[in-house]
Amino acid sequence: EALEAGMKSVALLLCLALCFSGVVAGGKRTLVVYDSVDVRSTHSTFFSQLEELGHKLTYATADADVAKLNQYGEYMYDNLVLFAPSETQLSSALTLESILQFIDDGNNVLVAADNDVGEATRAVAAECGIVLEDGAVYDHVNYDTKLDDGYHAVVAAKNVNKNSKITGNTEGPVLFRGIGQKFRNDEGLHFKIVSGSATTFSSVNGEAKEGSSSFGKNVVMVSALQARNNARVTVSGSLEMFSDRYFAAGVSSANGEKVAKSGNEALSKNIILWTFGGRGLLRQSNVHFHKEGESARPYELRIKDDIEFSLDVEEFDGEKWVPFAGKDMQVEFVMLDPYVRAFLVPNGKGKMAVSFKVPDHYGVFQFKINYFREGYGSLVVAEQITVRPFRHNEYERYIKSAYPYYASVFLLMSGFFVFSFFFIHTGEKAKAE
């Protein structure tokens, strides 16, 4: 009986482990950290969006020691929403190092700042390569006349990223009141989601200075980091842009433009989808290559072989995995440097293939794919193969490039015959005379 009870306990633990692993795979466990409990009421629509998209939310204040991302070597959450812009220091359980490790391990973070941003939020953004500026963002032309308090700091931003994987079908100006940001380096990992127009500027005292780097379209309001490990970090310079007030508000711009409803709610939902891995993910399978006329994967290749390389690529559209239809994916045949670089051709069913000839160099090569595009998760493939030269019995009987040498041999033989003939016969006649 004791043995039977023990086996039942083990079976129960296995079932619980499977259930837990399924939750992890879904990536819907989200920790929300805020600096004031009032955020739950002022931003209730935003949290409802998260719940409608299947996220299981856990709320905690920034100074609560229960806000642990990692416990006993396992992550308790897949995503982090950091809505604590005023905090100068987070709790001992939620340190800068733990957040960075959380990102390094492939998890996702959404950060919102404000005009009075504290050092905690600045540090998280800075470690992700995004510098939060001082002051505020202003626009004396494209500001909302109803929500503005006279400083022209409620900007009706119209420059929204057009990538459908990131912003979806967001329409209408986005209301924004907060601070600007800029990228610390240009590694191709950051991109703008919302940026300023020609009349937008970022300033401490509300005055525009000519030649400033934070002027016009250089003013970044919402940006994102797309890491090489597929972790995603979105940083907004405004917490208020996610509020119920801005979601429901219409837009009455000082330039005369009027819209019944702002684009904040639609943009918020699309940011959630992209940031937390609900869109733009790629996966590959069935990587295969073979010689033309064959189907088996070879142990090695020979120089000048005609080969075909193929793989299946799928994209997650938010609900299911569908065939990827991109036409800009390339495969390289590399030995230190690429000897062949070719575009993969999709067949509409997820399979991508290309045919090419093995270069006239032997050694250890790799088929390499390093696909990294804005809005998509990175896709990296590396398959190694040995390329050998021709064996002694695989060369052509007569090589075309050697025809001149063949001709020179026969010419030499013919010349020697002619010379010998004349030497013999003309020499005898000379002696006789």
Side-chain angles (χ1 to χ4, degrees):
E1 293 179 359
L3 180 61
E4 185 179 355
M7 293 179 66
K8 288 182 178 179
S9 300
V10 171
L12 179 60
L13 289 173
L14 287 174
C15 290
L16 290 173
L18 288 173
C19 293
F20 187 79
S21 64
V23 173
V24 172
K28 299 292 186 179
R29 300 173 302 163
T30 303
L31 174 64
V32 179
V33 178
Y34 46 72
D35 52 8
S36 173
V37 181
D38 295 337
V39 172
R40 293 187 64 172
S41 58
T42 58
H43 294 65
S44 60
T45 306
F46 171 79
F47 297 126
S48 296
Q49 287 181 332
L50 283 166
E51 291 173 343
E52 289 171 2
L53 292 172
H55 289 263
K56 183 180 179 181
L57 303 183
T58 302
Y59 297 94
T61 56
D63 57 354
D65 290 334
V66 296
K68 292 183 179 180
L69 294 172
N70 188 304
Q71 191 170 15
Y72 306 120
E74 295 288 340
Y75 280 112
M76 308 298 294
Y77 306 99
D78 307 298
N79 311 298
L80 171 64
V81 177
L82 188 58
F83 278 7
S86 63
E87 295 292 328
T88 57
Q89 186 175 358
L90 300 176
S91 68
S92 59
L94 191 66
T95 62
L96 175 61
E97 291 74 17
S98 66
I99 294 175
L100 296 180
Q101 189 62 50
F102 185 71
I103 298 171
D104 287 342
D105 290 335
N107 299 294
N108 310 306
V109 178
L110 173 60
V111 182
D114 215 333
N115 295 81
D116 299 323
V117 61
E119 288 302 319
T121 300
R122 284 187 183 275
V124 173
E127 290 295 335
C128 294
I130 299 170
V131 179
L132 297 176
E133 299 179 326
D134 296 321
V137 175
Y138 301 91
D139 195 318
H140 296 311
V141 177
N142 300 298
Y143 68 91
D144 187 80
T145 57
K146 292 184 177 180
L147 296 176
D148 190 70
D149 54 5
Y151 294 97
H152 303 170
V154 181
V155 180
K158 295 183 289 186
N159 283 340
V160 180
N161 194 311
K162 302 299 182 184
N163 191 322
S164 61
K165 300 300 174 185
I166 303 166
T167 59
N169 56 352
T170 300
E171 296 181 359
V174 175
L175 295 173
F176 178 94
R177 180 167 67 178
I179 59 176
Q181 49 189 280
K182 55 186 177 183
F183 303 140
R184 191 169 57 186
N185 47 46
D186 186 16
E187 297 179 348
L189 303 178
H190 303 89
F191 57 86
K192 305 172 185 178
I193 296 180
V194 181
S195 56
S197 59
T199 54
T200 308
F201 64 95
S202 177
S203 173
V204 176
N205 54 11
E207 297 180 0
K209 294 182 179 180
E210 189 176 355
S212 171
S213 61
S214 298
F215 191 90
K217 295 182 179 180
N218 289 328
V219 178
V220 184
M221 303 178 189
V222 184
S223 66
L225 163 69
Q226 184 173 277
R228 292 187 176 91
N229 65 347
N230 283 332
R232 295 172 176 180
V233 180
T234 299
V235 178
S236 170
S238 171
L239 175 61
E240 202 164 0
M241 70 172 286
F242 297 105
S243 68
D244 298 349
R245 185 186 180 196
Y246 278 33
F247 279 8
V251 179
S252 298
S253 182
N255 60 11
E257 182 181 359
K258 292 186 177 182
V259 180
K261 186 177 181 180
S262 70
N264 289 55
E265 186 172 357
L267 178 64
S268 170
K269 185 174 182 179
N270 284 293
I271 285 177
I272 292 171
L273 276 170
W274 183 84
T275 304
F276 296 149
R279 185 188 286 160
L281 297 178
L282 297 177
R283 70 179 183 184
Q284 53 82 18
S285 60
N286 300 327
V287 180
H288 186 68
F289 56 90
H290 59 85
K291 299 178 183 179
E292 283 194 359
E294 301 179 6
S295 59
R297 180 169 177 161
Y299 171 73
E300 62 182 6
L301 295 174
R302 190 190 66 183
I303 59 173
K304 297 186 177 181
D305 272 343
D306 293 315
I307 61 172
E308 180 179 327
F309 176 87
S310 65
L311 77 163
D312 295 335
V313 181
E314 294 177 305
E315 173 189 350
F316 188 67
D317 65 354
E319 296 180 358
K320 59 183 183 302
W321 291 96
V322 297
F324 179 63
K327 297 181 180 180
D328 58 346
M329 187 177 292
Q330 292 180 322
V331 60
E332 296 178 336
F333 198 55
V334 179
M335 184 176 65
L336 297 181
D337 294 316
Y339 282 77
V340 176
R341 182 182 289 122
F343 282 100
L344 290 161
V345 181
N347 67 350
K349 298 180 180 179
K351 183 177 180 180
M352 311 188 77
V354 66
S355 299
F356 61 89
K357 187 181 290 290
V358 177
D360 192 7
H361 290 270
Y362 56 87
V364 179
F365 281 79
Q366 278 189 328
F367 295 95
K368 276 192 175 182
I369 297 175
N370 192 355
Y371 188 77
F372 194 86
R373 296 293 185 275
E374 183 178 298
Y376 286 103
S378 61
L379 185 70
V380 179
V381 177
E383 293 285 333
Q384 186 169 294
I385 189 68
T386 302
V387 176
R388 64 171 178 81
F390 285 108
R391 295 193 180 97
H392 69 280
N393 59 348
E394 291 179 328
Y395 287 98
E396 298 178 13
R397 186 65 177 175
Y398 295 102
I399 303 174
K400 292 182 180 179
S401 59
Y403 282 178
Y405 302 99
Y406 301 155
S408 65
V409 171
F410 286 108
L411 284 173
L412 180 62
M413 293 171 60
S414 301
F416 180 75
F417 176 77
V418 172
F419 172 78
S420 300
F421 179 82
F422 280 100
F423 180 80
I424 293 173
H425 291 283
T426 56
E428 291 295 330
K429 291 179 179 180
K431 286 182 180 180
E433 292 175 357

